[in-house]
Structures are given as C-alpha cells and as structure tokens.
Amino acid sequence: METIRIKGLEIFAYHGVNPEEKENGQRFVLDLAMTADLSRAAQSDDLRDTVNYAAVRKAVTAAFTAQKYDLIERAAQVVCDAVLDGFPQVAAVMVELKKPEAPMNAVFDYVSVEMTRCRA
C-alpha cells in the first residue's frame, strides 16, 4: 500500500457553533492522506490506475461546503465519506481538519480534529 497526500488544502466554509461563524464563514485547512494500492499505476503511468488527486480535491470541496455543520468532527466525517464513497481504490483515508480562526480568546495556530476511516 502507498499513500497519496494533499496537504494544506484551504477551503472557505460556514461551520461552527456560533451564529457568526455560520453567517460570515471562515477559512479551514485540510490535510488528507489516502492509502491505496498504487503498484499498477507505478507500472502503467496511466491516470486511470491511480487516485486522481484533482478529482479528490473537487469531491472534498463539494462535500465540505454542501452544508453548514456545528462541529468540525462532523465536517471531517463528511470528507472521509466523500473520499471513500467516490474513490473505490482508497482503502483508508486520514483527514486532519484545522480551524485556524476558531473563536477563542487566545493566541494559537489552529484547533484541529484528526480522523481516520477505513473501507469496511
């Protein structure tokens, strides 16, 4: 098994418990790691034999912005579901969802949740 990563994917969305988060939105940053057997692609040099990371980015963005969620835990689950449902080659996906502008009265880099889901 090999890993394809997308790191630092910025998506503007409207997730959060506070009303202003759902109204004004904010920037989120996602890191994804997808485990798949890429041995065929390594031999064929054919896009059809791998996980198309451009298509993954589109699917993740669509799923992440389709609804407004209170919790980043729910938003991360939706991203995992989108990857596993849309890309049958992916055996497991890890998502770290970062919220750098979380409404806390403190100096911090970001708040995040990391979630790993595997194909049943």
Side-chain angles (χ1 to χ4, degrees):
M1 288 289 186
E2 293 77 34
T3 303
I4 293 177
R5 297 182 196 283
I6 300 174
K7 295 194 66 105
L9 176 61
E10 292 190 18
I11 304 175
F12 192 87
Y14 298 85
H15 307 308
V17 173
N18 298 320
E20 59 272 14
E21 293 179 284
K22 286 197 174 58
E23 184 177 321
N24 300 329
Q26 62 191 290
R27 177 178 61 98
F28 294 85
V29 181
L30 290 84
D31 294 337
L32 291 89
M34 298 162 285
T35 304
D37 180 356
L38 303 177
S39 58
R40 188 172 186 178
Q43 296 299 314
S44 71
D45 196 31
D46 190 330
L47 183 60
R48 294 173 294 193
D49 292 334
T50 191
V51 178
N52 182 334
Y53 51 79
V56 170
R57 197 273 316 154
K58 286 181 184 177
V60 165
T61 300
F64 191 71
T65 59
Q67 293 185 9
K68 298 176 182 180
Y69 299 108
D70 287 345
L71 303 179
I72 59 174
E73 292 86 344
R74 178 63 186 144
Q77 180 66 55
V78 166
V79 169
C80 289
D81 291 344
V83 173
L84 291 174
D85 292 346
F87 301 89
Q89 321 87 302
V90 174
V93 60
M94 185 283 298
V95 172
E96 183 177 11
L97 173 52
K98 302 172 187 176
K99 189 173 181 178
E101 299 162 17
M104 298 190 311
N105 188 15
V107 176
F108 62 97
D109 288 337
Y110 57 82
V111 173
S112 76
V113 62
E114 184 175 308
M115 183 173 290
T116 301
R117 296 293 182 258
C118 301
R119 194 168 297 287

